[in-house]
Amino acid sequence: MSASYDSIVDQYMAYANASPTRPIEARTMLRLAGAVEDKSVLDLACGSGYYGREFLRHGARSAHGVDQSQGMIDFARALSTYRGDEMTFQQHDVMEMPFTGAYDIVLAAYLFNYAASLDELGRMFAAVVPHVKRGGRLVVQTLNPDYRLALGNYAAYGVKVLGEEPWQQGARLCLEFPGSPPALIINYRWERAHYEQAVRAAGFSTVEWHAPVLEQADIDARADGYWEGYVHNCMSVNLVCER
């Protein structure tokens, strides 16, 4: 799995900090995780540690972030030092991270959409499952199997889809983060059945799909019709996998 952000840390953070969907995504993951208070949290593909910090803010006992980009880990550590929070970080590819204990809640926001094949998708879930406690949850945010470029390029929500092409049994998408020059990232879209097969083969007992939680306050804060593309052609979707 390769998706290093080392060369675009500042650019990605500018996008993430301005993203209108990020608070919605965090709210959704918090709700799907269940009871958070006094729980241990592992934040995979953590980037700046945004999601892990949200869980700490809502009462989690601890949060540990893992990302393969050393640049993102350096940024995340500096941010935690500046803010005075207790989130910890480690640079590792998820496929190769050492076992340091299982967690109550494991978060994976925009991780599995970097699997370039169904075999890699399966191996990624298999690599993650040992880090989830028995009875714990893996909360995933990934590329929506139902998203289609023909219905909208998603530019209104901060990231633009430039291209979509068939790829094996799924699709390969080219995404553009704003900047000078723009940064290009490749994502892969797999079907629900592909995810469910990988989840169950890894050893999770249940899997459920959930749409992001858009509230009336979100709608009221924007112009009429702003969220139409997000509701009807959302690029993200969530899974909850229980072990």
Side-chain angles (χ1 to χ4, degrees):
M1 191 266 293
S2 178
S4 179
Y5 280 60
D6 283 346
S7 62
I8 61 167
V9 172
D10 292 341
Q11 197 167 344
Y12 175 75
M13 289 311 306
Y15 148 74
N17 290 334
S19 171
T21 66
R22 216 176 192 202
I24 298 167
E25 294 161 354
R27 175 200 308 147
T28 301
M29 295 186 79
L30 279 160
R31 291 184 181 182
L32 296 179
V36 172
E37 190 171 352
D38 203 35
K39 297 294 178 65
S40 58
V41 175
L42 176 62
D43 185 0
L44 301 177
C46 67
S48 68
Y50 173 79
Y51 294 102
R53 284 193 196 88
E54 282 295 291
F55 274 70
L56 281 177
R57 193 167 67 86
H58 283 79
R61 180 177 73 254
S62 64
H64 181 64
V66 174
D67 199 288
Q68 73 167 14
S69 167
Q70 186 64 56
M72 290 305 308
I73 290 295
D74 291 344
F75 181 93
R77 285 176 175 153
L79 187 57
S80 281
T81 297
Y82 174 76
R83 293 187 174 181
D85 65 66
E86 296 183 355
M87 189 168 179
T88 59
F89 299 94
Q90 186 177 27
Q91 187 273 327
H92 267 296
D93 188 313
V94 168
M95 302 280 274
E96 301 170 354
M97 61 181 174
F99 181 78
T100 57
Y103 293 76
D104 298 305
I105 300 168
V106 176
L107 310 175
Y110 298 119
L111 167 65
F112 294 101
N113 42 289
Y114 288 105
S117 68
L118 293 180
D119 175 70
E120 188 171 19
L121 184 68
R123 288 189 289 110
M124 287 172 70
F125 275 103
V128 169
V129 70
H131 302 273
V132 183
K133 283 185 179 179
R134 296 285 181 182
R137 289 185 179 182
L138 168 65
V139 183
V140 174
Q141 184 167 283
T142 193
L143 195 63
N144 189 348
D146 297 331
Y147 171 79
R148 294 296 183 272
L149 175 56
L151 300 178
N153 66 10
Y154 224 65
Y157 311 112
V159 60
K160 184 176 181 180
V161 183
L162 297 182
E164 175 188 83
E165 61 180 349
W167 181 265
Q168 299 177 21
Q169 297 179 57
R172 183 178 184 268
L173 281 72
C174 180
L175 312 182
E176 178 186 83
F177 293 128
S180 299
L184 303 182
I185 295 292
I186 300 300
N187 273 198
Y188 299 90
R189 189 184 69 219
W190 303 107
E191 299 301 321
R192 278 176 166 77
H194 297 147
Y195 273 95
E196 291 172 9
Q197 182 178 4
V199 166
R200 296 189 185 282
F204 289 99
S205 60
T206 63
V207 56
E208 296 179 352
W209 294 85
H210 297 268
V213 179
L214 189 68
E215 294 185 342
Q216 189 62 44
D218 304 314
I219 298 170
D220 294 342
R222 295 282 177 171
D224 289 348
Y226 175 81
W227 294 109
E228 286 298 309
Y230 191 73
V231 172
H232 299 295
N233 190 38
C234 192
M235 200 165 68
S236 70
V237 73
N238 294 90
L239 297 84
V240 178
C241 312
E242 295 191 353
R243 188 172 183 206

